[in-house]
Amino acid sequence: MKDIIVCSPKSLPPDLLMRAARTAVEINPHNHPPIEHLTRIIPDFQLTPQRIALLTKKYWGIGGVRLTVSFLDNPPSDLRKRILQHMNAWSKTANVKFVETKSKGQVRIARDQTGYWSYLGTDILHIPLREQTMNLQEFTMNIPESEYHRVVRHETGHTLGFPHEHMRKQLVDKIDPEKAIAYFEETQGWSEEEVRAQVLTPIEESSLRGTAPDPKSIMCYQIPGELTKDGKPIIGGKDIDGSDYAFAATIYPKKQSTTPMKAKAATGSRR
Ligand SMILES: [Zn+2]
């Protein structure tokens, strides 16, 4: 059976964490973690600057997101167009727009590294211009449309600052904790505690969004087979679903109509 490539989370090197956290809060003050809430629910919470930086979200500003996109490995124009089209799928409900540029874009895509990944939101501003911020390994026009939905839209979600949605307990139970801790320590430099919080904590205990967890979310964690007890990968959501679109709309709201009634009617008549 062909090995299915899943998303490998990508975070900045430790020496950039603090600077990137400052950038994130400058761009969107809501990115700052809710310190008071955290010290209340975690009694021995250590309030180090490092810890605060790790918990800082990476959303773009709420006034609307317009990001330029360039390609580092000169793909044909039909491929570039197709990728852009799927990136802009998020604009159905959110005030976001990806625009191709011939010069160095804020989002830089290449296909030469292993796996599918993207840095998170405003973190992409701290990646050297010669490096990609998103990797779509060996993506060509021959890749099935379903993979564009599953992969390009998921990685674009990361570029918009959306983290992985936590998983249901039955999915977390499939992960081998020791393998996961070793894997993320090696690939991300995460401590055991971080891996437990990021990967091994099921949604019943904590949901990132503070809303009902959605296992079909396009941002559901994708886990390679080498980390699961049965060796099978966890694929996650296959496309942006209703709750993803609703979530994106709350983070990046489109211009509101003058009255709530009008806004409601406009939403109902779409598509
Ligand atoms: Zn991912």
Side-chain angles (χ1 to χ4, degrees):
M1 209 179 95
K2 193 171 171 281
D3 201 21
I4 302 163
I5 309 169
V6 295
C7 172
S8 39
K10 197 81 177 166
S11 52
L12 292 173
D15 58 317
L16 279 176
L17 274 182
M18 312 267 274
R19 243 169 67 203
R22 275 200 299 276
T23 302
V25 173
E26 270 167 33
I27 290 175
N28 185 340
H30 297 302
N31 281 328
H32 199 276
I35 300 298
E36 276 181 28
H37 177 67
L38 290 169
T39 46
R40 206 161 51 233
I41 57 171
I42 312 167
D44 57 351
F45 185 75
Q46 300 287 317
L47 213 58
T48 62
Q50 199 84 26
R51 173 63 71 88
I52 293 171
L54 271 174
L55 291 167
T56 301
K57 298 187 185 96
K58 303 298 170 67
Y59 296 126
W60 301 93
I62 54 166
V65 185
R66 188 186 179 279
L67 293 170
T68 55
V69 179
S70 64
F71 294 83
L72 299 184
D73 54 2
N74 201 26
S77 65
D78 53 353
L79 182 63
R80 299 200 305 266
K81 199 177 150 199
R82 194 170 168 192
I83 290 172
L84 258 295
Q85 224 167 48
H86 284 277
M87 294 177 79
N88 278 314
W90 286 100
S91 69
K92 182 178 166 188
T93 57
N95 190 3
V96 302
K97 179 90 186 145
F98 294 95
V99 187
E100 197 189 343
T101 177
K102 291 268 178 275
S103 55
K104 295 282 186 191
Q106 292 158 304
V107 181
R108 295 177 300 282
I109 299 173
R111 301 165 293 162
D112 59 342
Q113 288 194 22
T114 306
Y116 306 139
W117 49 258
S118 163
Y119 287 94
L120 200 61
T122 54
D123 276 355
I124 67 173
L125 301 175
H126 289 274
I127 305 302
L129 284 177
R130 63 178 184 282
E131 293 177 17
Q132 66 261 56
T133 65
M134 182 190 292
N135 196 72
L136 300 171
Q137 184 183 2
E138 292 168 14
F139 249 72
T140 65
M141 287 302 283
N142 295 329
I143 299 276
E145 183 69 2
S146 58
E147 283 295 272
Y148 279 82
H149 284 260
R150 184 180 77 86
V151 176
V152 177
R153 295 176 178 206
H154 174 99
E155 299 309 335
T156 303
H158 286 321
T159 298
L160 288 171
F162 304 153
H164 282 137
E165 171 78 322
H166 280 193
M167 292 178 296
R168 283 181 299 179
K169 191 170 184 308
Q170 64 205 79
L171 288 183
V172 175
D173 284 346
K174 292 185 179 185
I175 302 171
D176 185 316
E178 278 181 26
K179 287 184 192 167
I181 288 161
Y183 175 86
F184 288 107
E185 188 175 14
E186 197 191 318
T187 57
Q188 300 295 323
W190 290 355
S191 65
E192 178 180 337
E193 187 196 13
E194 281 168 285
V195 180
R196 289 199 183 278
Q198 295 280 334
V199 187
L200 299 172
T201 306
I203 42 179
E204 279 81 0
E205 291 171 39
S206 77
S207 173
L208 283 173
R209 299 181 181 187
T211 56
D214 173 21
K216 293 273 178 61
S217 165
I218 188 73
M219 300 315 294
C220 186
Y221 232 127
Q222 303 179 1
I223 298 289
E226 58 193 285
L227 298 190
T228 58
K229 290 170 187 162
D230 62 7
K232 288 181 188 153
I234 296 170
I235 305 300
K238 295 191 170 78
D239 202 348
I240 304 170
D241 73 359
S243 79
D244 292 319
Y245 275 126
F247 176 70
T250 63
I251 300 292
Y252 303 118
K254 293 196 177 194
K255 278 207 182 89
Q256 286 169 351
S257 299
T258 43
T259 67
M261 285 298 285
K262 266 186 188 166
K264 207 172 180 183
T267 310
S269 66
R270 294 193 56 187
R271 271 164 238 248

